[in-house]
Amino acid sequence: MKTAIYPGTFDPITNGHIDILKKAVRIFDKVILAVAEDTGKKTIFTVDEREELCRKAMEGIEKIEVTRFNGLVVDFAKKVGAITMIRGLRAISDFEYELSQALMNEKLYSDIDTIFFVPDNKYLYLSSTMVRQVVSLGGNIKDLIPECVEEALLKKRSKE
Ligand code: COA
């Protein structure tokens, strides 16, 4: 059974993340979408909300399990028996950061390998920050986020 983890903050999950996951399940028997409880980022969604949105966004996609983790990502990988970590590589600007993370994770747990997938063209410059900003300012990006995420962002906006 080949299991991989796809860790991230997912504040919120976007179609770019889903694109990466769909590519990963073609290769792995199971992919665990792992929502980091605390990454030092100031998130607009709580971890419960981020996990719930991921769960809803993943409905109907087989071989994906959604969960959350705390602490080192490599400890989580060991716990679930994964030796592969999935990450998305968008623009060149991602490369240095991703490389340093992959190398540090390998130093901490020599069995772990990181596999990078390149998202579809239309998601190459997408980020959760951009999504949050555009929706909060009234922009329409329905094709870049799952419906549940759009609803959740609009709900947050109406409470501001
Ligand atoms: N489509 C859209 N956006 C994407 C994307 C894609 N395919 N791939 C990455 N992104 C965006 C995210 O939306 C996010 O945008 P934001 O910064 O505007 O919010 C950004 O790229 C990177 O975020 P993410 O993929 O969530 O990674 P991260 O850097 O926030 O978190 C963890 C990475 C959780 C894996 C890392 O912090 C971690 O491992 N933490 C646990 C502690 C640990 O082990 N630390 C040591 C690691 S060396």
Side-chain angles (χ1 to χ4, degrees):
M1 175 101 169
K2 282 188 282 175
T3 302
I5 60 167
Y6 182 37
T9 311
F10 303 107
D11 185 44
I13 187 164
T14 70
N15 288 353
H17 294 121
I18 297 171
D19 184 55
I20 299 289
L21 279 157
K22 284 183 176 165
K23 290 178 200 290
V25 292
R26 285 193 213 134
I27 298 178
F28 293 92
D29 300 308
K30 181 163 89 174
V31 178
I32 302 176
L33 189 172
V35 180
E37 283 189 29
D38 181 20
T39 55
K41 283 184 176 177
K42 194 176 174 323
T43 60
I44 66 155
F45 290 109
T46 65
V47 65
D48 285 338
E49 290 170 328
R50 286 183 280 132
E51 187 182 346
E52 179 61 19
L53 287 173
C54 287
R55 227 175 264 289
K56 279 189 186 158
M58 287 303 122
E59 269 167 21
I61 305 181
E62 283 180 20
K63 304 204 283 185
I64 292 176
E65 200 179 292
V66 177
T67 188
R68 65 171 77 179
F69 76 98
N70 210 345
L72 286 175
V73 70
V74 288
D75 289 340
F76 175 73
K78 277 183 206 165
K79 197 173 102 185
V80 297
I83 53 164
T84 311
M85 195 172 314
I86 306 293
R87 296 288 290 166
L89 253 196
R90 294 162 303 164
I92 295 172
S93 51
D94 277 348
F95 182 74
E96 229 174 285
Y97 172 66
E98 291 298 338
L99 182 68
S100 64
Q101 286 219 102
L103 291 173
M104 178 55 82
N105 284 328
E106 203 183 348
K107 179 177 169 47
L108 293 169
Y109 178 33
S110 58
D111 283 348
I112 199 100
D113 278 313
T114 304
I115 292 189
F116 297 102
F117 286 94
V118 176
D120 195 273
N121 247 330
K122 54 186 183 283
Y123 307 127
L124 264 189
Y125 289 94
L126 189 60
S127 75
S128 298
T129 302
M130 214 181 265
V131 161
R132 290 195 302 268
Q133 208 171 56
V134 172
V135 176
S136 75
L137 296 172
N140 182 345
I141 45 167
K142 280 184 193 304
D143 50 334
L144 299 179
I145 45 177
E147 211 177 305
C148 60
V149 167
E150 193 201 8
E151 283 166 12
L153 282 168
L154 291 175
K155 213 162 142 189
K156 282 255 179 235
R157 192 178 75 163
S158 69
K159 283 186 188 156
E160 276 170 6

